[in-house]
Amino acid sequence: MKKAEIRQKLIEGTITVIANEGLDKASTKQIGLTTSVNEAYIYRCFKDKEDLLAKTFDSLDEELLAKTMQFVEVMYMSEIEYETRCRVYFFAVWKFLLSNREKCLTYMRYFYSTYFIKYSADIHKERFAPLVSKFDDALIEEADTWLILNHILNVILDFAIKVHNNQMPDKEIFAEHVFRVIYTSIKQYFKERPTN
């Protein structure tokens, strides 16, 4: 197996371990057992465990950004009212987060950890700068776009985890409720646009 393939296998194994066991139990030994890759390879492919955890989050973060950027153009479709644009955008991200329980749980557990603050927060902010830039145009000048996007992500993650943990059913009526919670809290920040 090539080094790139081993790295990817270790990242996938790390996702599985964090999702099923928690971040605290994501030891190099457990990751090695889960992936059937000798633990020593972790240190050949990554600087240390923290680097493996950060690279795993990076992989998930890049995937989430790619998905959000894929649908951001809907926010510029002036022939559609803002609420409908936001609904289309929200449901695309919502369905993506619900499509893979392990990835969603791992993302959330790392995102709210001290590892994120220490190793990934700055890179995360830099990575999402293009998305912030896209939303800057849609929001009033006084709005803190980064803060608003973080609020949206926090709410979506919180409710997606509830679905994954069977605390809330995966039904459209509940997804609509989540959308309403988000939209109601941010609609005041949208620029006024004339209706066509």
Side-chain angles (χ1 to χ4, degrees):
M1 218 185 304
K2 294 178 182 175
K3 187 174 180 179
E5 292 171 337
I6 295 170
R7 277 178 64 92
Q8 188 56 38
K9 188 170 184 178
L10 288 167
I11 285 173
E12 289 169 8
T14 302
I15 291 169
T16 298
V17 171
I18 294 172
N20 296 323
E21 307 292 331
L23 195 56
D24 293 340
K25 294 189 179 175
S27 65
T28 54
K29 182 178 181 178
Q30 188 59 45
I31 292 164
L33 289 170
T34 300
T35 58
S36 301
V37 172
N38 187 308
E39 190 178 350
Y41 274 100
I42 291 171
Y43 299 96
R44 291 181 190 164
C45 296
F46 303 93
K47 289 183 229 168
D48 50 29
K49 176 185 147 182
E50 288 73 24
D51 186 44
L52 170 58
L53 295 177
K55 294 297 189 297
T56 298
F57 176 78
D58 287 347
S59 173
L60 295 173
D61 207 32
E62 286 167 5
E63 190 176 355
L64 177 60
L65 177 62
K67 181 55 69 174
T68 58
M69 290 298 283
Q70 182 182 345
F71 288 94
V72 78
E73 293 308 318
V74 73
M75 297 304 295
Y76 293 90
M77 295 179 176
S78 58
E79 67 276 11
I80 305 171
E81 66 170 331
Y82 260 145
E83 184 174 343
T84 303
R85 290 184 236 177
C86 291
R87 182 176 275 107
V88 169
Y89 188 76
F90 163 79
F91 274 95
V93 177
W94 175 255
K95 288 174 184 173
F96 171 71
L97 286 172
L98 291 188
S99 69
N100 191 308
R101 179 184 179 276
E102 286 189 349
K103 287 181 178 181
C104 186
L105 284 170
T106 299
Y107 189 94
M108 184 273 304
R109 287 177 173 160
Y110 187 91
F111 187 64
Y112 293 120
S113 75
T114 55
Y115 288 109
F116 173 76
I117 295 163
K118 187 172 182 180
Y119 300 105
S120 302
D122 292 338
I123 296 167
H124 168 75
K125 191 168 186 177
E126 186 179 309
R127 181 179 291 124
F128 274 76
L131 184 66
V132 171
S133 178
K134 287 279 190 184
F135 271 89
D136 271 342
D137 294 338
L139 302 178
I140 60 174
E141 194 175 320
E142 303 81 36
D144 185 329
T145 307
W146 177 248
L147 188 65
I148 290 168
L149 291 178
N150 268 280
H151 165 70
I152 294 168
L153 178 59
N154 282 313
V155 174
I156 292 177
L157 277 174
D158 183 53
F159 281 102
I161 295 304
K162 283 178 172 43
V163 172
H164 287 306
N165 288 336
N166 297 316
Q167 296 170 301
M168 191 171 107
D170 183 7
K171 292 187 176 175
E172 198 158 318
I173 190 168
F174 291 100
E176 179 63 26
H177 169 73
V178 177
F179 169 73
R180 287 261 135 246
V181 167
I182 293 169
Y183 184 73
T184 302
S185 68
I186 66 167
K187 67 180 181 179
Q188 63 187 312
Y189 298 106
F190 286 119
K191 289 177 181 173
E192 289 293 326
R193 297 285 174 97
T195 52
N196 293 341

